[in-house]
Amino acid sequence: MLSLTGHNYIGGERRAAGTVEHKSLDASSGEALPYTFIQATPEEVDAAAQAAAAAYPTYRNLSVVRRAEFLEAIADEIDALGDDFVALVCRETALPAARIQGERSRTSGQMRLFAKVLRRGDFYGARIDRALPDRQPLPRPDLRQYQIGVGPVAVFGASNFPLAFSTAGGDTASALAAGCPVVFKAHSGHMATAECVADAVIRAAEKTGMPKGVFNMIFGGGVGEILVKHPAIQAVGFTGSLKGGRALCDMAAARPQPIPVFAEMSSVNPVIVLPGALQARGVTVAKELAGSVVLGCGQFCTNPGLIIGIRSAEFSEFVAGLADAIGAQPAQTMLNAGTLRSYANGVAQLKGHAKVSHLAGNEQAGNQAQPQLFKADVSMLLEGDHLLQEEVFGPTSIVVEVADSAELTRALQSMHGQLTATLIAEREDLSAFRDLLPLLEVKAGRVLLNGYPTGVEVCDSMVHGGPYPATSDARGTSVGTLAIHRFLRPVCYQNYPDEVLPEALQNANPLGIQRLVDGVHSRDALN
Amino acid sequence: MLSLTGHNYIGGERRAAGTVEHKSLDASSGEALPYTFIQATPEEVDAAAQAAAAAYPTYRNLSVVRRAEFLEAIADEIDALGDDFVALVCRETALPAARIQGERSRTSGQMRLFAKVLRRGDFYGARIDRALPDRQPLPRPDLRQYQIGVGPVAVFGASNFPLAFSTAGGDTASALAAGCPVVFKAHSGHMATAECVADAVIRAAEKTGMPKGVFNMIFGGGVGEILVKHPAIQAVGFTGSLKGGRALCDMAAARPQPIPVFAEMSSVNPVIVLPGALQARGVTVAKELAGSVVLGCGQFCTNPGLIIGIRSAEFSEFVAGLADAIGAQPAQTMLNAGTLRSYANGVAQLKGHAKVSHLAGNEQAGNQAQPQLFKADVSMLLEGDHLLQEEVFGPTSIVVEVADSAELTRALQSMHGQLTATLIAEREDLSAFRDLLPLLEVKAGRVLLNGYPTGVEVCDSMVHGGPYPATSDARGTSVGTLAIHRFLRPVCYQNYPDEVLPEALQNANPLGIQRLVDGVHSRDALN
């Protein structure tokens, strides 16, 4: 058994002045694990935010190499978390060991990728417009711009990715990369996991000489609200429910100083199966799609929750195959009792709706989630019924049959914003339905052809974002290197002598980065 | 006299079903000009937003060359607005003809600069991660990302820049460049000017074959609120007061689908005069600074409203010189009666405050603004008195004397967010006060050395933004080419065949733009 204190992480110390205790639970049995976590007091939340604010001036001005070394040290520490750690995460989340091992690699890989971004230096967005002293009617001063971290960032981890979207997940990695200290609110679903990962981060911070307060973590209920309202906090990263995310957005917008919130919330991730593909490989698609629906007990933000096709014998056959495949899937344990309760509620709401029919799945009962397939009348989409627009988190999907291509377009137009939209299509479908492509990219952050939306690659090109309610701000992504830009803001230096400019903007270009100089990209030193 | 209809611009038509009339006023005399403007009805506001939404799919998918040609045609049309137009703007705003001529060039130059950005193509942010089919444990699909316009943008023009921050100003230019149709709310202070410029935009749109609805303009009071709440609007650009900007932010945040608002609001633009500079050139600085305070009747967002120095004989002498210089400045006519009323209120509040003393300026009375200089006790800054944090829009500045370097730091730390912060310093000051530099860049969007903040260059490196309340979102700028990024969002294409990808992401790189390919910047075509 791992030794855990259950205390909050504040400015390099462990503090627990509070009296409210929380227990970590075994996700499969529901029994309490032998770990107790002490809820941060309001004073401790304040101290955590202040610690982050105190670290900010030092941390943001460290060289990118130092910051990169910190991220790489975190990656090494995470990789070193062993089998006992994996076993603990499995107990808290009911996710299988192979998945946790994969997620561990993904989490450390993500840190290393951001270290690479720091060394590459394009995140600086360095721009230089040199002085034009002889310009008429007025001279132009020397003007140089780059991007700095916005300040301390509050991060709320997700239940469904205890590593990759949690303590040292993508939001934390991108904030730290941007030069922003972090206050992390540990998710109640995996507090022991959070403590182990926070320890790894703190070890890395100590090894690489980071300022105390660069990373802080608090436990408890209601502490997140205090955190988001704290004047030192300058931005928020969140992954979770629409209700929770929207509440944070509303709080942040109502502050004396409003701050941006990047909340990744709710997406049904439509999959459109086109006629040519149905004809060519309907049977295979049904099997693969069923696999995507139940993968990880359907507990992915990009789980395909809506499957749309045009009425035909082939589509009916495909739906039958899909129903068979989903009906044959075993029940799975969900992340926690609350998640299962929400899932059961969502399934019951679908079952109770007059325009929804049940196609496959055992009765939802007991302590596991039964995979389900439903069919809903297209009028529900066209009339904006919220049941088809809001994610049922778990192994469930809904089939919608449209009459023809025109109704397909109307159905897609009626959809809210999505993380992903997928076309299953043959080449002839792409010409016949070419108008769908521009429509889908307006609705989603990521559009896929002949793939399944589960599985989000961590790379430069990924967008894990999209129009509301998929996220609160479609201009961000919470996966991939572009995520760093959520926590950066531009600063312009006018008429600064070379020696007081940041290195990224000095004439000699000591960092060797690409810059936009008088409108032209260049890595050259300037005279 | 110019012939104006006073009707709203909706989807390429002129509509005026309403009955509420507004008159344009001569800013100097207050008399009504012979132009009547018909307030848009709620139906017309809806129609304008719908027209923009209808234009969006076509407009955003036009080639960048087409969009650039549109912007350049607008620039040509604006340049062609003649002396009668300049005379009209002068009557509506009381600004001198030379200023309006300069602003006309700036406005057309801004359009041409965004056309250049479109042709350069870096705004696309093109990123490509090629497929790795043999990767273990899982293959990587082909992933490509670029930026698209967010959708229709509502723009609110500023009173103080009837051209450069108005109908065809920076917000409109950057939104149109991003591929976003615009609905512009004409400012009540220069409706006739707005109509002439809108005509220029429409002529350009017709000449270059843009979709109807690419640019719309509405007149009237209260119509802006309907516009910001309209579901078709996806972002807002605003320049104006803190109260007005914050109200729009709150409305936008409370929508069923919240949208981003880029509001440029309130900044006192501190100027810190350091000892070495005082000694070397205190007399000159006092004269130059006085010129910056009264320039354009102080009606600049970047007007230096706060002047800070360390107690010394030299500083006292400098303040005396500044008081003489400001006391010698003539009264000037403001943009409109409301602006003068606000100015008189602001001056009266300062005069009435126990901790503020009046250093120079004639009694504020009559129909012009009298330049004023005040001195405030540093405790007002340290204790967060709002009088020193909120802009008095007009030719007024406030001197604050600090005891020493430590108090200077505390005073600056207590300041809210700013558009600009300026150091007047000699080389020896920069070493002695080196710690000020990182502090200033945390407080402001632009930091200046030995210059004056009035005068905002339109270029790649400019930041006209800053932490709240300078703007509602420090990550944006409303001047300079980075402004386009406020209205863009990323989209990722997974596994798209080359021929259906946008040109910016196709293998052959037909646009010849720079892209981030597998982590490396390149203009090469791919195999």
Side-chain angles (χ1 to χ4, degrees):
Chain A
M1 195 188 118
L2 291 155
S3 149
L4 305 176
T5 72
H7 294 184
N8 302 282
Y9 293 72
I10 297 169
E13 291 173 12
R14 304 296 301 272
R15 289 167 58 175
T19 54
V20 182
E21 299 190 345
H22 298 273
K23 298 295 283 184
S24 170
L25 303 179
D26 180 302
S28 302
S29 68
E31 76 189 31
L33 297 175
Y35 306 116
T36 302
F37 299 86
I38 312 298
Q39 178 159 314
T41 63
E43 294 70 29
E44 285 168 345
V45 181
D46 174 64
Q50 299 282 7
Y56 171 61
T58 308
Y59 183 62
R60 79 173 181 90
N61 282 310
L62 289 181
S63 73
V64 284
V65 173
R66 291 285 310 282
R67 291 216 299 267
E69 285 166 355
F70 174 38
L71 300 187
E72 286 158 348
I74 297 174
D76 292 344
E77 293 290 340
I78 287 172
D79 281 342
L81 293 170
D83 291 345
D84 48 354
F85 168 74
V86 172
L88 175 66
V89 186
C90 294
R91 286 202 74 181
E92 279 194 307
T93 62
L95 294 168
R99 152 70 191 272
I100 296 304
Q101 285 154 354
E103 203 179 316
R104 182 178 55 190
S105 301
R106 176 180 168 158
T107 306
S108 59
Q110 195 160 254
M111 284 286 172
R112 291 194 183 95
L113 184 61
F114 277 107
K116 211 181 274 181
V117 168
L118 290 180
R119 291 200 165 92
R120 194 167 68 208
D122 52 334
F123 78 96
Y124 277 129
R127 295 170 163 221
I128 297 174
D129 290 295
R130 287 181 286 189
L132 299 172
D134 301 325
R135 191 183 62 175
Q136 292 302 327
L138 286 170
R140 180 171 84 179
D142 185 275
L143 292 157
R144 304 186 183 212
Q145 179 194 108
Y146 85 149
Q147 303 268 339
I148 69 169
V150 294
V153 174
V155 177
F156 293 75
S159 62
N160 60 339
F161 277 88
L163 306 181
F165 281 81
S166 197
T167 313
D171 284 343
T172 297
S174 52
L176 291 178
C180 300
V182 165
V183 183
F184 185 78
K185 155 70 175 72
H187 196 283
S188 60
H190 52 260
M191 292 180 286
T193 301
E195 173 149 354
C196 295
V197 177
D199 283 342
V201 174
I202 296 295
R203 282 194 297 275
E206 286 170 354
K207 280 184 185 165
T208 55
M210 292 296 119
K212 287 181 197 314
V214 69
F215 177 84
N216 311 274
M217 186 169 81
I218 53 175
F219 295 105
V223 297
E225 182 172 338
I226 309 176
L227 188 59
V228 168
K229 291 179 175 171
H230 196 288
I233 297 299
Q234 293 301 302
V236 178
F238 169 91
T239 303
S241 70
L242 177 54
K243 201 178 145 199
R246 181 65 192 251
L248 291 184
C249 291
D250 291 346
M251 270 177 229
R255 286 167 45 122
Q257 175 217 5
I259 55 173
V261 176
F262 298 94
E264 193 260 88
M265 304 182 293
S266 171
S267 179
V268 297
N269 304 297
V271 175
I272 300 111
V273 190
L274 291 179
L278 278 178
Q279 196 150 16
R281 51 195 165 94
V283 174
T284 317
V285 172
K287 269 188 209 152
E288 290 172 347
L289 192 49
S292 180
V293 169
V294 303
L295 186 71
C297 194
Q299 299 170 127
F300 289 110
C301 317
T302 53
N303 189 250
L306 199 64
I307 298 158
I308 310 181
I310 300 175
R311 185 173 307 136
S312 69
E314 288 83 1
F315 186 62
S316 299
E317 210 172 302
F318 162 80
V319 172
L322 185 64
D324 285 350
I326 287 190
Q329 300 289 336
Q332 294 180 64
T333 302
M334 297 199 85
L335 290 159
N336 54 61
T339 307
L340 180 63
R341 224 168 15 246
S342 294
Y343 179 68
N345 280 345
V347 167
Q349 275 196 289
L350 286 168
K351 279 203 169 164
H353 198 291
K355 288 186 170 175
V356 177
S357 57
H358 184 239
L359 297 186
N362 297 324
E363 186 69 26
Q364 178 55 43
N367 61 358
Q368 288 196 308
Q370 297 284 353
Q372 308 285 349
L373 187 66
F374 294 94
K375 185 173 178 182
D377 196 276
V378 65
S379 64
M380 288 178 70
L381 261 189
L382 301 176
E383 290 156 15
D385 192 304
H386 74 97
L387 254 193
L388 289 205
Q389 300 276 4
E390 282 172 25
E391 183 179 349
V392 175
F393 190 73
T396 276
S397 199
I398 304 169
V399 172
V400 168
E401 190 176 85
V402 296
D404 51 25
S405 161
E407 193 172 67
L408 176 58
T409 299
R410 284 202 305 282
L412 294 174
Q413 278 168 338
S414 72
M415 298 208 66
H416 295 171
Q418 304 292 337
L419 292 172
T420 69
T422 301
L423 275 186
I424 306 292
E426 293 294 287
R427 200 156 284 252
E428 74 259 27
D429 291 321
L430 287 181
S431 359
F433 294 87
R434 192 158 189 139
D435 291 352
L436 290 186
L437 302 178
L439 179 57
L440 292 181
E441 71 185 30
V442 167
K443 293 290 178 181
R446 177 165 55 114
V447 286
L448 299 86
L449 189 66
N450 296 325
Y452 300 95
T454 42
V456 182
E457 184 73 27
V458 182
C459 62
D460 292 315
S461 304
M462 178 50 61
V463 178
H464 190 62
Y468 190 90
T471 76
S472 56
D473 188 339
R475 292 167 308 133
T477 173
S478 59
V479 178
T481 61
L482 198 78
I484 193 174
H485 288 280
R486 299 174 300 168
F487 304 124
L488 293 169
R489 71 174 182 87
V491 174
C492 171
Y493 302 85
Q494 181 169 327
N495 200 27
Y496 264 46
D498 202 54
E499 66 274 18
V500 295
L501 279 168
E503 280 191 313
L505 298 176
Q506 288 176 1
N507 285 332
N509 194 12
L511 302 182
I513 59 175
Q514 177 174 278
R515 313 188 290 189
L516 186 67
V517 180
D518 296 331
V520 178
H521 288 109
S522 157
R523 291 180 185 275
D524 295 348
L526 310 179
N527 300 322
Chain B
M1 193 187 117
L2 291 157
S3 149
L4 305 176
T5 72
H7 294 184
N8 302 283
Y9 294 70
I10 297 169
E13 290 174 13
R14 304 297 302 273
R15 289 169 56 176
T19 53
V20 182
E21 298 190 345
H22 298 274
K23 298 294 284 183
S24 169
L25 303 178
D26 180 304
S28 302
S29 67
E31 75 189 34
L33 296 174
Y35 305 115
T36 302
F37 299 86
I38 312 298
Q39 178 160 315
T41 63
E43 293 71 29
E44 285 168 346
V45 179
D46 173 64
Q50 299 283 9
Y56 172 60
T58 307
Y59 183 62
R60 79 173 181 90
N61 281 312
L62 289 180
S63 72
V64 285
V65 172
R66 291 286 310 281
R67 292 217 297 268
E69 286 166 355
F70 174 38
L71 300 187
E72 286 158 347
I74 297 175
D76 292 344
E77 292 290 339
I78 287 173
D79 281 341
L81 293 170
D83 291 346
D84 47 353
F85 168 73
V86 171
L88 174 66
V89 186
C90 294
R91 286 201 73 181
E92 280 194 305
T93 62
L95 294 168
R99 152 73 190 272
I100 296 305
Q101 283 153 356
E103 204 179 315
R104 181 177 55 190
S105 302
R106 176 181 168 158
T107 307
S108 59
Q110 196 160 253
M111 284 286 171
R112 291 193 183 96
L113 184 61
F114 277 107
K116 213 181 273 181
V117 169
L118 290 180
R119 291 200 165 92
R120 196 167 67 208
D122 52 334
F123 78 97
Y124 277 129
R127 295 169 163 222
I128 297 174
D129 290 296
R130 286 181 285 188
L132 299 173
D134 301 325
R135 190 182 64 173
Q136 292 302 327
L138 286 170
R140 179 171 85 180
D142 185 277
L143 292 156
R144 304 184 183 213
Q145 179 195 109
Y146 84 149
Q147 304 267 339
I148 68 169
V150 293
V153 174
V155 176
F156 293 76
S159 63
N160 60 339
F161 278 87
L163 306 181
F165 281 80
S166 197
T167 312
D171 284 342
T172 297
S174 52
L176 291 178
C180 300
V182 166
V183 182
F184 185 78
K185 154 71 175 71
H187 195 284
S188 60
H190 52 260
M191 292 180 286
T193 301
E195 172 149 354
C196 295
V197 177
D199 283 341
V201 174
I202 296 294
R203 281 194 297 275
E206 286 171 354
K207 279 185 185 166
T208 55
M210 292 297 122
K212 288 181 195 314
V214 69
F215 177 84
N216 311 273
M217 186 169 81
I218 53 175
F219 295 107
V223 296
E225 183 173 337
I226 308 176
L227 188 59
V228 168
K229 291 179 175 171
H230 196 287
I233 296 299
Q234 294 301 303
V236 179
F238 168 91
T239 303
S241 70
L242 177 55
K243 200 178 146 199
R246 181 65 193 250
L248 291 184
C249 290
D250 291 345
M251 269 177 231
R255 286 168 45 124
Q257 174 218 6
I259 54 172
V261 176
F262 299 94
E264 193 261 87
M265 303 181 293
S266 170
S267 179
V268 298
N269 304 298
V271 175
I272 300 112
V273 190
L274 292 178
L278 279 176
Q279 197 153 14
R281 50 196 165 93
V283 175
T284 317
V285 172
K287 269 189 208 150
E288 290 172 349
L289 192 49
S292 180
V293 170
V294 304
L295 187 71
C297 195
Q299 299 169 128
F300 289 109
C301 317
T302 54
N303 189 250
L306 199 64
I307 298 158
I308 311 181
I310 300 174
R311 185 172 306 135
S312 69
E314 288 83 1
F315 186 63
S316 299
E317 212 172 300
F318 162 80
V319 172
L322 185 63
D324 286 349
I326 286 191
Q329 299 289 335
Q332 294 179 63
T333 302
M334 295 199 86
L335 289 159
N336 54 60
T339 307
L340 180 64
R341 225 167 16 242
S342 294
Y343 179 67
N345 281 345
V347 167
Q349 276 197 291
L350 287 168
K351 278 200 168 165
H353 197 291
K355 289 185 171 176
V356 177
S357 57
H358 186 238
L359 298 185
N362 298 323
E363 185 69 26
Q364 179 53 45
N367 61 357
Q368 288 196 309
Q370 296 284 353
Q372 308 285 349
L373 187 67
F374 293 94
K375 185 172 179 181
D377 196 276
V378 66
S379 64
M380 288 178 70
L381 262 189
L382 299 176
E383 292 156 14
D385 192 306
H386 74 99
L387 254 193
L388 290 204
Q389 299 277 5
E390 281 172 26
E391 182 179 352
V392 175
F393 190 74
T396 277
S397 199
I398 304 170
V399 173
V400 168
E401 190 175 85
V402 296
D404 51 26
S405 161
E407 194 171 69
L408 176 57
T409 299
R410 284 203 305 282
L412 295 175
Q413 278 168 338
S414 71
M415 297 208 67
H416 294 174
Q418 304 292 337
L419 292 173
T420 69
T422 302
L423 275 185
I424 306 291
E426 293 293 287
R427 200 156 282 251
E428 74 259 27
D429 292 321
L430 286 182
S431 359
F433 294 87
R434 191 157 189 139
D435 291 350
L436 290 186
L437 302 179
L439 179 56
L440 293 180
E441 71 186 28
V442 167
K443 294 291 180 182
R446 178 164 55 115
V447 287
L448 299 85
L449 188 66
N450 296 325
Y452 300 95
T454 41
V456 181
E457 184 74 26
V458 181
C459 62
D460 291 315
S461 303
M462 178 49 62
V463 178
H464 190 63
Y468 189 91
T471 75
S472 56
D473 187 340
R475 291 167 306 133
T477 173
S478 59
V479 178
T481 60
L482 198 78
I484 192 175
H485 288 280
R486 300 175 298 167
F487 304 124
L488 292 168
R489 71 172 182 88
V491 173
C492 171
Y493 302 84
Q494 180 168 327
N495 201 25
Y496 265 44
D498 203 55
E499 66 273 20
V500 295
L501 279 167
E503 281 192 313
L505 297 175
Q506 288 176 0
N507 285 333
N509 194 13
L511 302 181
I513 60 174
Q514 179 176 277
R515 313 189 289 190
L516 186 66
V517 180
D518 295 331
V520 178
H521 289 109
S522 158
R523 290 181 186 276
D524 295 347
L526 310 179
N527 300 323

